[in-house]
């Protein structure tokens, strides 16, 4: 899996979750997250956080992903998508 430092959990997490903490996800919650962590079921993103994340993924990566789809995206899947996109 290709990693994206903005989304992907891993060692040296100092800046790994900047995007997620910017939209309001608690850093302590993210410290326990891994690539299988799901946005809705595990992180319990609010509608505001979901919308903010979707807008930021589009603005930063040109990534057109519908976080309101039936798929509950994992952090790993978002990292793959963001890693394949060209940062803006």
């Amino acid at each position: 899996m290709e990693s994206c430092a903005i989304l992907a959990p891993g060692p040296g997490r100092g800046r790994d979750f900047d995007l997620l903490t910017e939209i309001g996800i608690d850093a302590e919650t993210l410290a326990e997250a891994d690539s299988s962590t799901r946005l809705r079921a595990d992180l319990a993103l609010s509608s505001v956080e979901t919308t903010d994340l979707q807008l930021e993924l589009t603005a930063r990566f040109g990534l057109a992903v519908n976080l309101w789809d039936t798929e509950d995206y994992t952090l790993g899947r978002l990292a793959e998508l963001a890693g394949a996109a060209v940062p803006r």
Side-chain angles (χ1 to χ4, degrees):
M1 170 177 81
E2 186 159 345
S3 175
C4 173
I6 293 175
L7 295 170
R13 289 183 175 158
R15 296 186 50 85
D16 286 353
F17 290 114
D18 283 353
L19 176 54
L20 295 172
T21 55
E22 285 173 21
I23 65 163
I25 306 302
D26 182 63
E28 289 181 25
T29 300
L30 293 172
E32 298 174 10
D34 62 24
S35 62
S36 66
T37 300
R38 295 170 294 168
L39 297 178
R40 292 190 299 259
D42 300 324
L43 295 179
L45 261 62
S46 70
S47 59
V48 171
E49 292 164 339
T50 301
T51 299
D52 287 348
L53 178 57
Q54 186 167 319
L55 291 171
E56 285 299 320
L57 289 170
T58 301
R60 294 183 190 197
F61 301 102
L63 192 58
V65 59
N66 181 1
L67 298 180
W68 298 99
D69 196 359
T70 57
E71 179 178 355
D72 190 1
Y73 285 89
T74 63
L75 294 181
R77 180 64 180 137
L78 286 182
E80 288 175 5
L81 294 170
V86 177
R88 292 184 171 190

